[in-house]
Amino acid sequence: MSTEMYTVSSSPHIHSKDSIQGIMRDVLIALLPATLVGIWVFKFHALIVVLLSVASCIGAEALWQKLTHQKITVNDYSAAVTGLLLALNLPPTVPFWLPIVGGAFAIIIAKQLFGGLGQNFINPALAARAFLLASWPVQMTTWTIDGVTTATPLGILKEGSGALPSITDLILGNVGGCIGETSVIALLIGGVYLIYKKVISIRIPATFIGTVLVLTWILGRDGMFYSNAIYEIFTGGLFLGAFFMATDYASSPVTIKGQYIMGLGCGIITAVIRLYGGYPEGVSYSILIMNLAVPLIDRYTQPRIFGEVKK
């Protein structure tokens, strides 16, 4: 009689070939088009901001892990991703100390104090951006292009005065704003790359952008069924937030229903802030607010266990 031998082990029993390093490398590749366009539009100062932000995050993570006697994991690229995302969320002319402070806050306060990679409940780059915006609002809301101070398209829409850039400029990248939000086409190329590599799914970005489009069209800045809703979704950091930050593994839902709820919630909050709030942009705060709801979303959208008796 033949005898089959089985190995008994704890879950997980299915392993993926994906690694943290590989996923983070794909995110860095996906962010490259938007980074290059931002540097091309905003010139040398933007390049220094990007380098300082990335170096600050990597340095803060290595220093913290060294001081707390942990394994140094900066070679998994996660700190570099946080640094690059933070830089892309900063105005191009911020003082050079600001990305350094922001990088340290993102890594130590928003990531390491909660247990490190995968344990953070909010997006570290966005948490740092919110901290910098609350602490140094002047530096974080001064926008220039070609050395001339200018309002962002969302600022012009909010104030209701001034000449709006053409939609072609929004798509190709020739408008004031944060370093990473100047070109929609560059962000879209990166987003499609992440979807193609199966790093993210289309659920959160599509629901997020679609909700902003529909609500802006229905509610409108000048009354219901606003004709410029397409222009609205191409302005600000909507594509940057939808593809690269709302989809953060650690701070977004794991269930399919939960991901649709995440995108829907982000879209609703963004539209409400843009249309009725005092701040022109709402993408960052919408993601941070929905980050806080993720445990609840996952709890109520988890699949029913096969054979479980419904209570």
Side-chain angles (χ1 to χ4, degrees):
M1 183 176 69
S2 63
T3 303
E4 292 189 49
M5 299 297 292
Y6 295 95
T7 301
V8 178
S9 65
S10 60
S11 60
H13 302 295
I14 300 175
H15 296 271
S16 168
K17 294 180 180 178
D18 295 330
S19 65
I20 294 172
Q21 192 178 49
I23 292 170
M24 295 300 167
R25 185 170 53 239
D26 279 335
V27 176
L28 288 173
I29 293 171
L31 286 170
L32 199 57
T35 305
L36 293 176
V37 173
I39 293 171
W40 177 67
V41 171
F42 298 117
K43 310 293 186 295
F44 184 70
H45 199 102
L47 171 63
I48 300 300
V49 170
V50 170
L51 294 176
L52 287 174
S53 182
V54 173
S56 173
C57 285
I58 294 175
E61 181 146 293
L63 181 62
W64 175 267
Q65 291 175 333
K66 179 75 173 175
L67 293 176
T68 54
H69 308 292
Q70 300 178 50
K71 180 184 177 183
I72 296 177
T73 59
V74 294
N75 58 356
D76 65 10
Y77 304 131
S78 63
V81 168
T82 299
L84 186 53
L85 283 173
L86 174 60
L88 298 184
N89 277 278
L90 295 177
T93 55
V94 292
F96 289 146
W97 55 264
L98 201 135
I100 298 174
V101 174
F105 183 93
I107 294 298
I108 296 175
I109 304 298
K111 180 180 177 182
Q112 292 296 337
L113 285 183
F114 292 96
L117 183 64
Q119 304 300 315
N120 52 288
F121 67 96
I122 54 175
N123 185 293
L126 285 182
R129 184 180 191 276
F131 166 71
L132 296 175
L133 186 60
S135 303
W136 297 281
V138 175
Q139 291 86 344
M140 286 292 291
T141 54
T142 300
W143 316 102
T144 64
I145 185 167
D146 293 330
V148 178
T149 302
T150 181
T152 64
L154 282 176
I156 296 172
L157 287 169
K158 175 65 76 177
E159 295 297 326
S161 61
L164 283 169
S166 69
I167 200 164
T168 304
D169 284 340
L170 294 178
I171 294 173
L172 297 181
N174 189 28
V175 295
C178 292
I179 295 172
E181 66 183 35
T182 189
S183 170
V184 170
I185 191 69
L187 292 166
L188 202 52
I189 290 170
V192 170
Y193 174 79
L194 289 182
I195 293 170
Y196 170 74
K197 297 287 287 186
K198 298 183 179 178
V199 174
I200 64 171
S201 81
I202 190 66
R203 298 181 197 102
I204 292 177
T207 314
F208 192 168
I209 296 169
T211 301
V212 173
L213 174 68
V214 171
L215 285 182
T216 305
W217 177 64
I218 293 175
L219 301 175
R221 293 181 186 271
D222 300 316
M224 295 184 72
F225 304 112
Y226 180 52
S227 61
N228 221 7
I230 296 290
Y231 189 93
E232 293 267 0
I233 65 170
F234 288 155
T235 61
L238 182 57
F239 279 70
L240 178 62
F243 282 103
F244 295 97
M245 290 180 287
T247 54
D248 175 30
Y249 285 2
S251 56
S252 64
V254 297
T255 63
I256 293 176
K257 286 182 182 176
Q259 290 170 1
Y260 285 122
I261 293 172
M262 175 81 180
L264 183 66
C266 287
I268 292 172
I269 296 170
T270 297
V272 168
I273 292 176
R274 282 186 174 188
L275 295 177
Y276 305 112
Y279 190 58
E281 178 59 290
V283 170
S284 299
Y285 289 109
S286 72
I287 297 173
L288 287 172
I289 291 170
M290 289 306 295
N291 285 163
L292 301 178
V294 165
L296 198 62
I297 294 172
D298 273 339
R299 178 180 176 184
Y300 286 103
T301 59
Q302 61 182 331
R304 186 180 167 195
I305 300 171
F306 182 74
E308 179 187 28
V309 177
K310 189 174 182 180
K311 296 179 181 178

